[in-house]
Amino acid sequence: MITLQRCVVFSVAFLVAGVTAWRVIVTNFADRYASVEPEPALALEPHHPGALLALAQRELRDKHPQAAVTAARELLRHEPLEGRAFSVLATAAEEVGDITQARTLYEIAVLREPRDLHSRAWIIEALLRDGYYDEALAQINVLLRISPGQGSKLFPVLVKLADAPEFSQALTRILGSQPTWGDGVLSALLARGSVGAVDAVFGALQREGILSVEESGRWLDRLIKAGLWGEAYSRWAGGLALAPGEVLPVVYNGGFETEPTNIGFDWRISNSAGVTIGRVPAIGATGAFAAKVAFSGRRVPQVNFEQTLLLAPGTYLLHFRARAEALSSDRGLQWAIACQGERAPLAVSALLEGSFDWRQFDTPFVIPANNCPAQRLRLHNPGAAAAGKTVLGDIWIDDVAISATIVPR
């Protein structure tokens, strides 16, 4: 009797194990083929969610909206929280022209499945089309947090829309919250946006006090590159912390009492091979500081030490003080003033070389009436090419200024 019972138990266990194994095989097969062959998968698993979704999506692609709806509804009967099923229903509603229903279903889809990019993109497009820019940008913010790579597709659209004042204002508002994609859209705006759009967005950010120094510099460089000298100067000057009634000198920060920023119409200074430029405490300077340029004996094709000027046509004097220690080169160094975009200088200062204590230098020059809206003041190495460009020694610069001169009648 015990033996018979054991046989029955063993047989039942074997049968259960066999059924379970078969179930595992069927499920694995259905899982494997659900997305590519939904019908065979559904023959094995009639309610397989992956197969039902794949079937619904395929029917949509094949332009069978009603069949897609049937499959999506069947999916929702068993998986009522499946957001992608609502996306299928929304697309099907759109196919038959029911835009109101489509919008409702797309909104449900993104609530149930936040990573559904298709549904969210549809909502964004609808909001933009209807002029709901703040709501559209809020959706874009979510989308770009979920999928940052979508920025390459979205940024060109945002750049074009920024020509509309209402959109640029909305864009400024969301950029004020410093979203993770802010730098990306600002870079795209600088690279491809109209001057008006760039000015509107960056100007508003500057007024709100949320434009970084680096962003401000890129904005001004864009205006300068476009030849909008007056606009660039006014935007740059508007960002300076000036005392009430303080007048900007022609050469800004000519005494180097503040650290040059490399932005706008301040000094543009950078080190290069064989050249170190810095603002240093200096005995004998008018204030506490001067600029020091140290040369290590290498060839120096260009000294990266310059400032952009906006001088009206007329006659002027360039003033500066300098001292040097063992400064040697092919022909010495000199300050040069040229119209922006022109290589030939309008004037050059006396050559600076050797060793000397603080000395005053003055150079007259004339700004022509035509084709010279802005100028470039730079420290120049006039030595011949190749070995003639070698420079060794140190020079200190202070009190760089420009004054207008009165021409006798």
mmCIF file of all heavy atoms in Angstrom, residues 242-267:
data_model
loop_
_atom_site.group_PDB
_atom_site.id
_atom_site.type_symbol
_atom_site.label_atom_id
_atom_site.label_comp_id
_atom_site.label_asym_id
_atom_site.label_seq_id
_atom_site.Cartn_x
_atom_site.Cartn_y
_atom_site.Cartn_z
ATOM 1 N N LEU A 242 29.897 100.083 -12.036
ATOM 2 C CA LEU A 242 30.448 101.438 -12.039
ATOM 3 C C LEU A 242 29.846 102.261 -10.903
ATOM 4 O O LEU A 242 28.669 102.084 -10.546
ATOM 5 C CB LEU A 242 30.160 102.132 -13.372
ATOM 6 C CG LEU A 242 30.759 101.479 -14.623
ATOM 7 C CD1 LEU A 242 30.306 102.231 -15.864
ATOM 8 C CD2 LEU A 242 32.280 101.440 -14.538
ATOM 9 N N ALA A 243 30.653 103.154 -10.364
ATOM 10 C CA ALA A 243 30.149 104.072 -9.348
ATOM 11 C C ALA A 243 29.245 105.106 -10.018
ATOM 12 O O ALA A 243 29.381 105.380 -11.217
ATOM 13 C CB ALA A 243 31.321 104.764 -8.643
ATOM 14 N N PRO A 244 28.286 105.680 -9.282
ATOM 15 C CA PRO A 244 27.410 106.707 -9.871
ATOM 16 C C PRO A 244 28.223 107.851 -10.486
ATOM 17 O O PRO A 244 29.120 108.404 -9.846
ATOM 18 C CB PRO A 244 26.586 107.187 -8.673
ATOM 19 C CG PRO A 244 26.594 106.038 -7.727
ATOM 20 C CD PRO A 244 27.941 105.390 -7.882
ATOM 21 N N GLY A 245 27.935 108.151 -11.737
ATOM 22 C CA GLY A 245 28.631 109.239 -12.422
ATOM 23 C C GLY A 245 29.992 108.869 -12.978
ATOM 24 O O GLY A 245 30.638 109.689 -13.635
ATOM 25 N N GLU A 246 30.445 107.630 -12.750
ATOM 26 C CA GLU A 246 31.756 107.232 -13.253
ATOM 27 C C GLU A 246 31.727 107.103 -14.765
ATOM 28 O O GLU A 246 30.799 106.528 -15.341
ATOM 29 C CB GLU A 246 32.180 105.901 -12.625
ATOM 30 C CG GLU A 246 33.566 105.434 -13.062
ATOM 31 C CD GLU A 246 33.959 104.113 -12.419
ATOM 32 O OE1 GLU A 246 33.194 103.616 -11.569
ATOM 33 O OE2 GLU A 246 35.031 103.589 -12.773
ATOM 34 N N VAL A 247 32.735 107.652 -15.425
ATOM 35 C CA VAL A 247 32.835 107.620 -16.882
ATOM 36 C C VAL A 247 33.863 106.564 -17.287
ATOM 37 O O VAL A 247 34.966 106.502 -16.729
ATOM 38 C CB VAL A 247 33.253 109.000 -17.443
ATOM 39 C CG1 VAL A 247 33.403 108.933 -18.963
ATOM 40 C CG2 VAL A 247 32.215 110.051 -17.062
ATOM 41 N N LEU A 248 33.507 105.751 -18.250
ATOM 42 C CA LEU A 248 34.437 104.727 -18.725
ATOM 43 C C LEU A 248 35.568 105.373 -19.513
ATOM 44 O O LEU A 248 35.321 106.166 -20.432
ATOM 45 C CB LEU A 248 33.720 103.724 -19.621
ATOM 46 C CG LEU A 248 32.943 102.598 -18.931
ATOM 47 C CD1 LEU A 248 32.185 101.777 -19.962
ATOM 48 C CD2 LEU A 248 33.899 101.713 -18.158
ATOM 49 N N PRO A 249 36.806 105.039 -19.182
ATOM 50 C CA PRO A 249 37.919 105.573 -19.978
ATOM 51 C C PRO A 249 37.980 104.893 -21.342
ATOM 52 O O PRO A 249 37.409 103.823 -21.536
ATOM 53 C CB PRO A 249 39.150 105.219 -19.139
ATOM 54 C CG PRO A 249 38.733 104.013 -18.361
ATOM 55 C CD PRO A 249 37.273 104.180 -18.087
ATOM 56 N N VAL A 250 38.664 105.520 -22.283
ATOM 57 C CA VAL A 250 38.788 104.953 -23.627
ATOM 58 C C VAL A 250 39.468 103.593 -23.560
ATOM 59 O O VAL A 250 39.040 102.633 -24.199
ATOM 60 C CB VAL A 250 39.572 105.908 -24.545
ATOM 61 C CG1 VAL A 250 39.810 105.268 -25.911
ATOM 62 C CG2 VAL A 250 38.821 107.218 -24.699
ATOM 63 N N VAL A 251 40.547 103.507 -22.792
ATOM 64 C CA VAL A 251 41.209 102.224 -22.537
ATOM 65 C C VAL A 251 40.769 101.765 -21.150
ATOM 66 O O VAL A 251 41.077 102.414 -20.143
ATOM 67 C CB VAL A 251 42.742 102.340 -22.603
ATOM 68 C CG1 VAL A 251 43.400 101.005 -22.283
ATOM 69 C CG2 VAL A 251 43.187 102.840 -23.976
ATOM 70 N N TYR A 252 40.045 100.645 -21.101
ATOM 71 C CA TYR A 252 39.521 100.177 -19.824
ATOM 72 C C TYR A 252 40.607 99.480 -19.025
ATOM 73 O O TYR A 252 41.409 98.711 -19.564
ATOM 74 C CB TYR A 252 38.360 99.205 -20.083
ATOM 75 C CG TYR A 252 37.734 98.677 -18.827
ATOM 76 C CD1 TYR A 252 36.935 99.495 -18.029
ATOM 77 C CD2 TYR A 252 37.944 97.368 -18.423
ATOM 78 C CE1 TYR A 252 36.354 99.022 -16.862
ATOM 79 C CE2 TYR A 252 37.362 96.874 -17.262
ATOM 80 C CZ TYR A 252 36.582 97.709 -16.483
ATOM 81 O OH TYR A 252 36.015 97.232 -15.327
ATOM 82 N N ASN A 253 40.638 99.785 -17.714
ATOM 83 C CA ASN A 253 41.572 99.115 -16.801
ATOM 84 C C ASN A 253 43.016 99.305 -17.254
ATOM 85 O O ASN A 253 43.842 98.395 -17.182
ATOM 86 C CB ASN A 253 41.232 97.616 -16.708
ATOM 87 C CG ASN A 253 41.927 96.911 -15.559
ATOM 88 O OD1 ASN A 253 42.376 97.536 -14.599
ATOM 89 N ND2 ASN A 253 42.039 95.591 -15.660
ATOM 90 N N GLY A 254 43.317 100.518 -17.730
ATOM 91 C CA GLY A 254 44.661 100.787 -18.240
ATOM 92 C C GLY A 254 45.743 100.735 -17.187
ATOM 93 O O GLY A 254 46.938 100.599 -17.521
ATOM 94 N N GLY A 255 45.356 100.843 -15.906
ATOM 95 C CA GLY A 255 46.334 100.744 -14.829
ATOM 96 C C GLY A 255 46.412 99.362 -14.222
ATOM 97 O O GLY A 255 47.187 99.144 -13.278
ATOM 98 N N PHE A 256 45.587 98.423 -14.711
ATOM 99 C CA PHE A 256 45.587 97.023 -14.266
ATOM 100 C C PHE A 256 45.324 96.887 -12.766
ATOM 101 O O PHE A 256 45.846 96.002 -12.106
ATOM 102 C CB PHE A 256 46.913 96.342 -14.639
ATOM 103 C CG PHE A 256 47.223 96.448 -16.103
ATOM 104 C CD1 PHE A 256 48.057 97.448 -16.585
ATOM 105 C CD2 PHE A 256 46.646 95.578 -17.016
ATOM 106 C CE1 PHE A 256 48.328 97.570 -17.936
ATOM 107 C CE2 PHE A 256 46.898 95.695 -18.371
ATOM 108 C CZ PHE A 256 47.744 96.689 -18.839
ATOM 109 N N GLU A 257 44.483 97.797 -12.262
ATOM 110 C CA GLU A 257 44.152 97.732 -10.841
ATOM 111 C C GLU A 257 43.105 96.651 -10.551
ATOM 112 O O GLU A 257 42.875 96.306 -9.388
ATOM 113 C CB GLU A 257 43.667 99.098 -10.347
ATOM 114 C CG GLU A 257 44.751 100.171 -10.372
ATOM 115 C CD GLU A 257 46.016 99.737 -9.647
ATOM 116 O OE1 GLU A 257 45.929 99.380 -8.456
ATOM 117 O OE2 GLU A 257 47.091 99.744 -10.278
ATOM 118 N N THR A 258 42.451 96.144 -11.598
ATOM 119 C CA THR A 258 41.579 94.982 -11.441
ATOM 120 C C THR A 258 42.077 93.890 -12.386
ATOM 121 O O THR A 258 42.743 94.165 -13.384
ATOM 122 C CB THR A 258 40.110 95.323 -11.777
ATOM 123 O OG1 THR A 258 40.024 95.787 -13.124
ATOM 124 C CG2 THR A 258 39.581 96.392 -10.839
ATOM 125 N N GLU A 259 41.732 92.663 -12.054
ATOM 126 C CA GLU A 259 42.177 91.523 -12.864
ATOM 127 C C GLU A 259 41.472 91.556 -14.221
ATOM 128 O O GLU A 259 40.250 91.617 -14.292
ATOM 129 C CB GLU A 259 41.849 90.218 -12.157
ATOM 130 C CG GLU A 259 42.504 89.001 -12.771
ATOM 131 C CD GLU A 259 44.005 88.976 -12.551
ATOM 132 O OE1 GLU A 259 44.472 89.297 -11.441
ATOM 133 O OE2 GLU A 259 44.699 88.624 -13.520
ATOM 134 N N PRO A 260 42.222 91.540 -15.325
ATOM 135 C CA PRO A 260 41.584 91.500 -16.647
ATOM 136 C C PRO A 260 40.685 90.273 -16.783
ATOM 137 O O PRO A 260 41.014 89.183 -16.311
ATOM 138 C CB PRO A 260 42.777 91.433 -17.613
ATOM 139 C CG PRO A 260 43.904 92.076 -16.867
ATOM 140 C CD PRO A 260 43.689 91.681 -15.443
ATOM 141 N N THR A 261 39.542 90.474 -17.453
ATOM 142 C CA THR A 261 38.533 89.417 -17.529
ATOM 143 C C THR A 261 38.548 88.640 -18.845
ATOM 144 O O THR A 261 37.892 87.604 -18.952
ATOM 145 C CB THR A 261 37.128 90.005 -17.355
ATOM 146 O OG1 THR A 261 36.875 90.923 -18.438
ATOM 147 C CG2 THR A 261 36.993 90.725 -16.020
ATOM 148 N N ASN A 262 39.233 89.167 -19.859
ATOM 149 C CA ASN A 262 39.195 88.554 -21.193
ATOM 150 C C ASN A 262 37.797 88.578 -21.799
ATOM 151 O O ASN A 262 37.457 87.730 -22.628
ATOM 152 C CB ASN A 262 39.709 87.101 -21.171
ATOM 153 C CG ASN A 262 41.209 87.033 -20.970
ATOM 154 O OD1 ASN A 262 41.955 87.882 -21.448
ATOM 155 N ND2 ASN A 262 41.659 86.030 -20.253
ATOM 156 N N ILE A 263 36.992 89.544 -21.403
ATOM 157 C CA ILE A 263 35.612 89.633 -21.871
ATOM 158 C C ILE A 263 35.339 91.023 -22.445
ATOM 159 O O ILE A 263 35.773 92.032 -21.873
ATOM 160 C CB ILE A 263 34.631 89.330 -20.727
ATOM 161 C CG1 ILE A 263 34.657 87.835 -20.397
ATOM 162 C CG2 ILE A 263 33.212 89.753 -21.061
ATOM 163 C CD1 ILE A 263 33.803 87.450 -19.228
ATOM 164 N N GLY A 264 34.613 91.053 -23.544
ATOM 165 C CA GLY A 264 34.163 92.320 -24.094
ATOM 166 C C GLY A 264 35.301 93.259 -24.439
ATOM 167 O O GLY A 264 36.214 92.917 -25.200
ATOM 168 N N PHE A 265 35.265 94.463 -23.845
ATOM 169 C CA PHE A 265 36.237 95.509 -24.170
ATOM 170 C C PHE A 265 37.259 95.694 -23.053
ATOM 171 O O PHE A 265 37.903 96.735 -22.967
ATOM 172 C CB PHE A 265 35.500 96.814 -24.487
ATOM 173 C CG PHE A 265 34.640 96.700 -25.719
ATOM 174 C CD1 PHE A 265 33.397 96.099 -25.669
ATOM 175 C CD2 PHE A 265 35.101 97.149 -26.947
ATOM 176 C CE1 PHE A 265 32.611 95.965 -26.806
ATOM 177 C CE2 PHE A 265 34.327 97.017 -28.096
ATOM 178 C CZ PHE A 265 33.076 96.426 -28.022
ATOM 179 N N ASP A 266 37.405 94.668 -22.235
ATOM 180 C CA ASP A 266 38.486 94.607 -21.256
ATOM 181 C C ASP A 266 39.717 94.027 -21.967
ATOM 182 O O ASP A 266 39.662 93.633 -23.134
ATOM 183 C CB ASP A 266 38.065 93.730 -20.078
ATOM 184 C CG ASP A 266 38.952 93.910 -18.847
ATOM 185 O OD1 ASP A 266 39.962 94.637 -18.934
ATOM 186 O OD2 ASP A 266 38.633 93.308 -17.800
ATOM 187 N N TRP A 267 40.821 93.932 -21.274
ATOM 188 C CA TRP A 267 42.023 93.324 -21.838
ATOM 189 C C TRP A 267 41.771 91.856 -22.170
ATOM 190 O O TRP A 267 41.105 91.149 -21.417
ATOM 191 C CB TRP A 267 43.198 93.424 -20.867
ATOM 192 C CG TRP A 267 43.697 94.815 -20.646
ATOM 193 C CD1 TRP A 267 43.533 95.576 -19.527
ATOM 194 C CD2 TRP A 267 44.452 95.605 -21.563
ATOM 195 N NE1 TRP A 267 44.122 96.803 -19.688
ATOM 196 C CE2 TRP A 267 44.713 96.849 -20.940
ATOM 197 C CE3 TRP A 267 44.941 95.400 -22.857
ATOM 198 C CZ2 TRP A 267 45.420 97.863 -21.552
ATOM 199 C CZ3 TRP A 267 45.649 96.414 -23.471
ATOM 200 C CH2 TRP A 267 45.884 97.628 -22.829
#
